């Protein structure tokens, strides 16, 4: 997969030296459902995602999960960036939500690029800022937005062209940050009102 940067439109502004350092790295395949990191792990590399989707989850003491954010091509993981920049251990868990193709940038290469390439540094910090904005949105939703509204938003976001959503009650509970039983009750109410149909 030589010349992979050509497929990564978010990196096309890189200077030739930075491009050369990155293109020396080979893209890797990560299978669907693979765990990329767990709480307490240390970041081994900065991940540049070329295809697929990663979900980053936080698990509470009671075992309930919350989707913090998803990483898609052109986006970065806050926890990985913090881990590579400052050595902070992971507090969440990252799971491949599809087959992935990613480039793993070793810390030494990452540090060189951050020091020498303004375009690479701008990419990292912009993606980091965008991701922090996503985290603030999740916090606001869980703290201030009613379950019904969060549920409706999650369903609409995942609806296909035929108006169908393929997701379990458990997956919805993780996405919106509530118990599965709460999701089940709210969905049953919507079905009884004729707003939704269930198969």
């Amino acid at each position: 997969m030589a010349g992979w940067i050509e497929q990564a439109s978010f990196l096309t502004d890189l200077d030739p030296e930075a491009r050369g350092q990155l293109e020396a790295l080979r893209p890797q395949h990560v299978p669907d459902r693979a765990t990329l990191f767990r709480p307490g792990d240390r970041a081994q590399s900065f991940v540049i995602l070329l295809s697929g989707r990663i979900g980053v989850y936080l698990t509470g003491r009671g075992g309930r999960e919350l989707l913090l954010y998803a990483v898609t091509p052109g986006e970065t993981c806050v926890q990985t960036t913090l881990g590579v920049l400052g050595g902070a251990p992971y507090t969440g868990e990252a799971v491949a939500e599809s087959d992935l193709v990613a480039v793993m940038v070793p810390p030494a290469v990452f540090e060189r690029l951050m020091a020498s390439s303004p375009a690479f540094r701008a990419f990292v910090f912009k993606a980091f800022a965008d991701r922090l904005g996503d985290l603030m949105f999740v916090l606001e939703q869980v703290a201030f937005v009613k379950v019904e509204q969060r549920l409706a938003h999650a369903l609409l976001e995942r609806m296909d062209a035929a108006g169908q959503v393929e997701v379990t009650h458990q997956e919805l509970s993780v996405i919106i940050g509530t118990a599965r039983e709460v999701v089940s009750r709210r969905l049953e109410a919507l079905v009884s009102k004729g707003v939704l149909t269930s198969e």
Side-chain angles (χ1 to χ4, degrees):
M1 197 169 174
W4 61 263
I5 283 186
E6 299 305 325
Q7 301 173 20
S9 59
F10 50 90
L11 292 176
T12 53
D13 292 337
L14 289 181
D15 51 278
E17 185 178 338
R19 287 171 68 97
Q21 289 187 61
L22 286 174
E23 286 200 321
L25 304 172
R26 293 177 58 90
Q28 298 177 27
H29 174 262
V30 179
D32 184 22
R33 306 314 307 164
T35 299
L36 284 81
F37 59 75
R38 292 184 173 88
D41 289 352
R42 298 279 175 177
Q44 302 299 311
S45 58
F46 179 79
V47 178
I48 298 175
L49 188 62
L50 301 180
S51 68
R53 176 184 163 105
I54 301 167
V56 180
Y57 298 86
L58 187 65
T59 304
R61 290 182 183 171
R64 202 171 87 199
E65 287 184 311
L66 172 65
L67 175 65
L68 291 176
Y69 51 86
V71 181
T72 57
E75 299 174 332
T76 60
C77 173
V78 164
Q79 297 202 30
T80 298
T81 305
L82 288 173
V84 176
L85 281 173
Y90 289 112
T91 56
E93 180 178 44
V95 177
E97 297 191 337
S98 67
D99 286 344
L100 309 175
V101 176
V103 174
M104 310 300 182
V105 182
V109 175
F110 178 81
E111 288 168 14
R112 274 202 309 273
L113 289 169
M114 288 293 285
S116 65
S117 173
F120 182 79
R121 193 165 53 246
F123 160 70
V124 170
F125 284 130
K126 183 185 182 308
F128 186 81
D130 290 345
R131 183 58 68 231
L132 283 179
D134 292 343
L135 282 172
M136 293 304 292
F137 176 77
V138 169
L139 178 60
E140 178 187 3
Q141 292 287 302
V142 172
F144 303 119
V145 177
K146 290 182 179 179
V147 169
E148 290 83 359
Q149 290 174 273
R150 301 201 313 265
L151 180 58
H153 183 265
L155 290 171
L156 288 170
E157 204 173 46
R158 286 155 183 80
M159 188 178 294
D160 63 20
Q164 297 184 342
V165 179
E166 289 189 27
V167 64
T168 67
H169 292 198
Q170 179 60 38
E171 289 167 340
L172 281 170
S173 72
V174 171
I175 291 163
I176 69 171
T178 192
R180 184 190 58 76
E181 296 78 10
V182 173
V183 167
S184 296
R185 285 197 301 271
R186 297 302 194 279
L187 288 173
E188 286 168 13
L190 290 171
V191 169
S192 68
K193 292 176 182 175
V195 175
L196 296 176
T197 57
S198 179
E199 295 179 6

